[in-house]
Amino acid sequence: MSAPPVTSPTRSRDASSGTEHYLGLMSGTSLDGVDAVLAALHPQGGMQVIDHAFAPFEPALRNELLALNTPGDNELHRAALAANGVARAYAELARTLQQRHPQLSIRAIGAHGQTVRHRPGEFDGSGYTWQLLNAALLAELSGIGVVSDLRSRDVAAGGQGAPLVPAFHQAVFAGRCEAVLNVGGISNVSLLSVEPGATPRGFDCGPGNCLLDHWIHRHHGLPYDADGAWAGQGQVLPALLASMLGDPFFRLPPPRSTGRDLFNPVWLQAHLNTLGSPARPVDVQATLLELTALSIAEALLRHGGPGGRLAVCGGGALNGRLMRALGQALPAWSIQASDALGLPAMQVEAAAFAWLAMRHVERLAGNLPAVTGASGPRILGAWHPA
Ligand SMILES: Nc1ncnc2c1ncn2[C@@H]1O[C@H](COP(=O)(O)OP(=O)(O)OP(=O)(O)O)[C@@H](O)[C@H]1O
Ligand SMILES: CC(=O)N[C@H]1[C@@H]2OC[C@@H](O2)[C@@H](O)[C@@H]1O[C@H](C)C(=O)O
C-alpha cells in the first residue's frame, strides 16, 4: 500500500521503538454491544494485544439502532441522539481500559460506529455508508484523539467501503493461514498471500449471525442461539434453503459488500412466503444455520483457493454447530478459531480498528483497492483531536 500525503494529527512517539498504543472500538452488525481492544502497534508490523473489554448495548439504544436500520419517521433527530448514545457507550469502554492501564498513553482511538445504512452504489457520487457515532463527543469524553468514519473515503473513491479487515488480517495472520473468516452479523472472508508484493483479496459472503439472532429472538426472546443448539433440533428445509441461496447477491463477483440493508427480517419473510405451508420455527433456524455455512463455503470455493488453513473469528467461531457445518461444506480446509493463532475470535475486529487508527496516524492507506474496488489506496477516517 502506498502512503499518499495528508494532513494528519501531530504526535509524540517513543522514537527508539516506534511502537505506540491504540484503542480499537467496534460494534458490528450483530448489534450485541461494543468490543474494545488496547493494542501496542508498530507501523512496520507487529501487534501485541494488551487487553480486551466488551459491554453490551443498553436495550433501549440497541432497539433504536436496530430501528434506524430501517427507514422511518423523524430519523435525523433520532439518529443524532443514537450517535450520542453510541459515543457514550464507546467512551465508557475506553475509560474501563484506561483505568486498567493507567501507565499507558493511548495514541488514538479507532472507532467504527454503528452501521445503519450501507449503500456504496456505483462510482457516480450517489453511494454512501453511514456509521452512527458522535466522534467529537467520544474525543471529549475520553480525552483521546479519535479516528472515525473509516469507510466513507473508500466509498468516495468508488469502493465498497467494506470489508476493511483483509489488510489487517494479512498483516497479522499471513503465513500462518491461507484465509480468515469473520462471522459477525454479516460474514466476510480474507484470502491471504505470502507472495512478495501480493495483496490479499476479500469480500462479504452474506448473512453471518444476523438472521439466526433475529429468528431465535422472535421465537424464544433470546439474543442468540448458543452453540447452535436450537438449530440442531430442526431439519433443514431444502425449498427454503434453495430460495434464499437464489438471491442474486450470492452470485455477485467481488468487490462486493452487504449488510442489514439486504439481509433483514423482511428478506427472510419474503422467502418464507414462497413456501406452500407454514414452516416449523426450529426448522427455519436449522435452515438459516445451513444458509450461513453454505453461502460462506460456496463463496470461498468459488473465489478462494481449493483448500488450506482457515482461521475463523467473530461470534460465529463460538457456535460449535456452525463450525461443524463449515467443516462439512469445506472438507479440503482445515478450520479452527483464530484463538489458535494467538488472537481470540472476539478480539480480531476491534484490533483491526486499532490498526486502522494507526494507519491513519502514520499517514498510511487503510483500504485495499483490490478488495473494495476503490480507484486507489486512501488514508481512511476523520481525525477528532483529544
Ligand atoms: N456461544 C455462542 N454461540 C453461538 N453464537 C454466538 C455465541 N457467542 C456469540 N455468538 C454470536 O456472535 C454474535 C456476535 O458476534 P460479533 O461480535 O463478531 O459480531 P459483530 O462484530 O456485531 O458483527 P460484524 O462482523 O458483522 O460487524 C452474536 O450476536 C451471536 O450471534
Ligand atoms: C458496512 C459495514 O459495517 N460492514 C461490516 C459488516 O460486518 C461484516 C461485514 O459486514 C464487513 O463488510 C464489515 O465489517 C468488517 C469489520 C470489515 O469492514 O472488514
Side-chain angles (χ1 to χ4, degrees), residues 303-331:
H303 305 295
R309 294 162 293 179
L310 175 66
V312 185
C313 60
L318 307 179
N319 184 332
R321 186 161 195 91
L322 178 63
M323 291 291 273
R324 286 193 293 280
L326 282 169
Q328 275 163 15
L330 293 165

Side-chain angles (χ1 to χ4, degrees), residues 86-101:
V86 174
R88 281 195 297 273
Y90 277 28
E92 211 163 296
L93 214 47
R95 196 173 311 121
T96 298
L97 288 179
Q98 279 177 293
Q99 283 171 352
R100 283 193 209 159
H101 303 273

Side-chain angles (χ1 to χ4, degrees), residues 227-248:
D227 211 24
W230 190 42
Q233 292 164 28
Q235 301 291 322
V236 172
L237 301 167
L240 177 61
L241 184 61
S243 172
M244 294 191 293
L245 283 172
D247 189 286

Side-chain angles (χ1 to χ4, degrees), residues 59-348:
L61 178 58
R62 180 178 193 274
N63 289 340
E64 184 62 344
L65 290 169
L66 255 179
L68 284 164
N69 272 268
T70 311
D73 287 342
N74 195 13
E75 283 180 321
L76 291 179
H77 177 65
R78 287 172 43 211
L81 291 184
N84 287 351
V86 174
R88 281 195 297 273
Y90 277 28
E92 211 163 296
L93 214 47
R95 196 173 311 121
T96 298
L97 288 179
Q98 279 177 293
Q99 283 171 352
R100 283 193 209 159
H101 303 273
Q103 77 286 5
L104 293 183
S105 152
I106 298 171
R107 180 70 197 87
I109 292 175
H112 180 265
Q114 194 61 48
T115 298
V116 287
R117 294 284 192 290
H118 184 61
R119 313 258 169 98
E122 304 299 321
F123 192 4
D124 62 357
S126 68
Y128 70 97
T129 180
W130 197 358
Q131 285 73 48
L132 285 188
L133 170 68
N134 185 340
L137 180 58
L138 175 57
E140 194 65 30
L141 293 175
S142 67
I144 303 172
V146 175
V147 184
S148 67
D149 193 17
L150 286 136
R151 302 188 189 277
S152 290
R153 184 60 189 269
D154 184 85
V155 172
Q160 292 286 306
L164 297 178
V165 290
F168 171 74
H169 289 162
Q170 173 78 18
V172 299
F173 294 127
R176 296 188 292 150
C177 61
E178 283 66 50
V180 182
L181 166 67
N182 167 47
V183 189
I186 296 293
S187 63
N188 57 286
V189 153
S190 304
L191 303 162
L192 310 185
S193 172
V194 286
E195 301 296 320
T199 50
R201 294 179 293 136
F203 46 83
D204 282 0
C205 302
N209 297 301
C210 61
L211 297 174
L212 286 161
D213 287 356
H214 156 70
W215 197 248
I216 196 166
H217 186 258
R218 178 170 157 185
H219 290 279
H220 291 290
L222 295 169
Y224 60 85
D225 187 2
D227 211 24
W230 190 42
Q233 292 164 28
Q235 301 291 322
V236 172
L237 301 167
L240 177 61
L241 184 61
S243 172
M244 294 191 293
L245 283 172
D247 189 286
F249 174 79
F250 297 117
R251 292 192 297 278
L252 284 180
R256 70 181 205 191
S257 66
T258 189
R260 285 182 180 272
D261 304 64
L262 174 61
F263 296 110
N264 56 36
V266 175
W267 182 90
L268 174 58
Q269 192 56 50
H271 289 285
L272 287 169
N273 292 345
T274 65
L275 302 178
S277 53
R280 289 196 313 154
V282 68
D283 294 339
V284 173
Q285 188 75 351
T287 310
L288 289 173
L289 187 139
E290 196 68 4
L291 171 72
T292 295
L294 288 190
S295 58
I296 290 167
E298 216 255 332
L300 191 52
L301 292 172
R302 189 184 307 184
H303 305 295
R309 294 162 293 179
L310 175 66
V312 185
C313 60
L318 307 179
N319 184 332
R321 186 161 195 91
L322 178 63
M323 291 291 273
R324 286 193 293 280
L326 282 169
Q328 275 163 15
L330 293 165
W333 286 84
S334 114
I335 303 174
Q336 54 185 351
S338 64
D339 304 52
L341 301 183
L343 192 50
M346 296 306 272
Q347 300 181 16
V348 176

Side-chain angles (χ1 to χ4, degrees), residues 340-365:
L341 301 183
L343 192 50
M346 296 306 272
Q347 300 181 16
V348 176
E349 276 203 333
F353 282 88
W355 185 86
L356 285 165
M358 180 274 287
R359 300 289 295 187
H360 177 102
V361 168
E362 295 293 334
R363 308 174 193 200
L364 296 169

